[in-house]
Amino acid sequence: MTQNPLVVIKLGGELLTDASKRHDMAVAIGRLTASTDLVVIHGGGREIDTELATRGCAKQAFDGLRLTDAETLEVVVNILAGRINTQLVAAAKHAGVRAVGLTATDAGVSTVCRAEPYTTSTGTTVDLGFVGQPTGSGKPDLLRRLCDDRFIPIVASIGSDDTGQLLNVNADTLAGHLAIQLKATRLLIAGGTAGVLDQEGQTIPAVNKFLLQQLIADGRASAGMVAKLIACGEAARSGVSRVEIVDGRQTDDLNNTKGTRIDIHEPAN
Ligand SMILES: Nc1ncnc2c1ncn2[C@@H]1O[C@H](COP(=O)(O)OP(=O)(O)O)[C@@H](O)[C@H]1O
Ligand SMILES: [Mg+2]
């Protein structure tokens, strides 16, 4: 059976912090789904940071991957799978879009295992705690089925391992993996910047595999941008034909967003 073209869009936490932003995004998503199947993944870093600060917990992150101890995990799960996911589904409903909220754990949509100690772009190795890494062996067919039935799945980036332990998965990493597994035609990483920026703050229009490595190695891309570039590089290498890191603050037309295209063409062999 031929499958409809499918777009995976990841929404950065900065884009979802108030009701009017969520409404604009829900309307934009509704428009996009008129021309394609759509799976939405969301983060929520800004609100998680605020909640952690209220509790007096320090934030530590490496290349956008959050060090997640037991208390941080509780905050991450409550805010992502609880508040933000439900608010986004409600905003979609208000915008006339039939969305279904779920996590990566639902129906084994993405299997994750506890991440191996992570070696950062600056060479330090850290144990990230309750952080999950998608294994690539998940069964995302529920997402396809929801799309076939004209629902939009909205996925909070929480997974669980085979012991039932909940794990915090970076939303860009999850979006990249789901795009590959769903054989998406497009991966759209929408965030709070006009794509990948150079030292002058200008958008870099296209990134090939050499520039991608350079940006990470020389620190022009840091923090959360490292996770985005790695996820996009993997998706592009694995056959997702259109991969972009774009400005999600512009919601007029998600088909024509300002940002950076990740152009990685592996020679066919
Ligand atoms: N070269 C770069 N271009 C754009 N943003 C960058 C770059 N290097 C680092 N960043 C940082 O990465 C952040 C985006 O990642 P993150 O904070 O994880 O947001 P999100 O919620 O969208 O995942 C930007 O807000 C910016 O602070
Ligand atoms: Mg991030």
Side-chain angles (χ1 to χ4, degrees):
M1 197 179 99
T2 51
Q3 290 180 317
N4 292 335
L6 185 146
V7 174
V8 170
I9 180 168
K10 185 266 176 166
L11 307 177
E14 217 173 305
L15 307 173
L16 308 171
T17 47
D18 68 57
S20 89
K21 287 185 190 172
R22 289 190 292 272
H23 177 73
D24 291 348
M25 187 53 80
V27 170
I29 281 169
R31 274 198 295 267
L32 195 57
T33 201
S35 57
T36 183
D37 284 353
L38 194 61
V39 171
V40 179
I41 321 292
H42 67 84
R46 299 299 176 281
E47 287 177 62
I48 293 165
D49 291 351
T50 307
E51 177 65 24
L52 286 172
T54 310
R55 290 177 175 228
C57 301
K59 172 193 177 177
Q60 262 190 294
F62 301 89
D63 299 343
L65 306 175
R66 186 185 295 275
L67 200 147
T68 307
D69 62 10
E71 187 170 6
T72 305
L73 181 69
E74 190 186 310
V75 171
V76 168
V77 172
N78 289 350
I79 291 195
L80 284 186
R83 188 201 298 168
I84 299 180
N85 191 270
T86 316
Q87 283 175 332
L88 199 50
V89 172
K93 185 174 174 224
H94 178 222
V97 173
R98 296 206 305 164
V100 175
L102 62 169
T103 71
T105 285
D106 287 79
V109 152
S110 174
T111 46
V112 301
C113 62
R114 199 159 156 163
E116 296 288 322
Y118 178 75
T119 302
T120 67
S121 49
T122 52
T124 331
T125 299
V126 278
D127 180 351
L128 294 166
F130 295 111
V131 165
Q133 176 66 31
T135 62
S137 60
K139 296 206 170 15
D141 44 311
L142 173 67
L143 301 178
R144 276 281 183 190
R145 284 197 215 177
L146 287 168
C147 291
D148 288 346
D149 285 342
R150 309 307 303 151
F151 294 106
I152 300 184
I154 298 185
V155 186
S157 59
I158 302 293
S160 64
D161 68 11
D162 55 14
T163 71
Q165 172 65 52
L166 290 175
L167 293 169
N168 174 22
V169 187
N170 176 278
D172 297 305
T173 310
L174 180 64
H177 274 263
L178 284 177
I180 295 167
Q181 286 210 287
L182 289 161
K183 299 190 172 30
T185 49
R186 185 178 178 212
L187 170 63
L188 189 59
I189 304 275
T193 63
V196 187
L197 308 178
D198 63 19
Q199 294 102 311
E200 279 77 47
Q202 300 297 313
T203 301
I204 303 173
V207 170
N208 63 21
K209 69 175 171 183
F210 302 106
L211 181 56
L212 191 149
Q213 278 163 4
Q214 264 175 18
L215 290 170
I216 296 174
D218 66 21
R220 276 179 287 168
S222 61
M225 190 48 73
V226 175
K228 291 181 202 301
L229 284 169
I230 292 172
C232 286
E234 279 182 22
R237 262 192 302 277
S238 304
V240 182
S241 53
R242 187 172 165 196
V243 178
E244 294 153 298
I245 298 175
V246 302
D247 194 340
R249 297 165 300 181
Q250 298 180 347
T251 51
D252 306 348
D253 181 2
L254 292 176
N255 266 320
N256 285 300
T257 34
K258 186 170 183 295
T260 304
R261 182 166 182 142
I262 312 299
D263 267 321
I264 295 178
H265 300 292
E266 291 290 323
N269 49 24

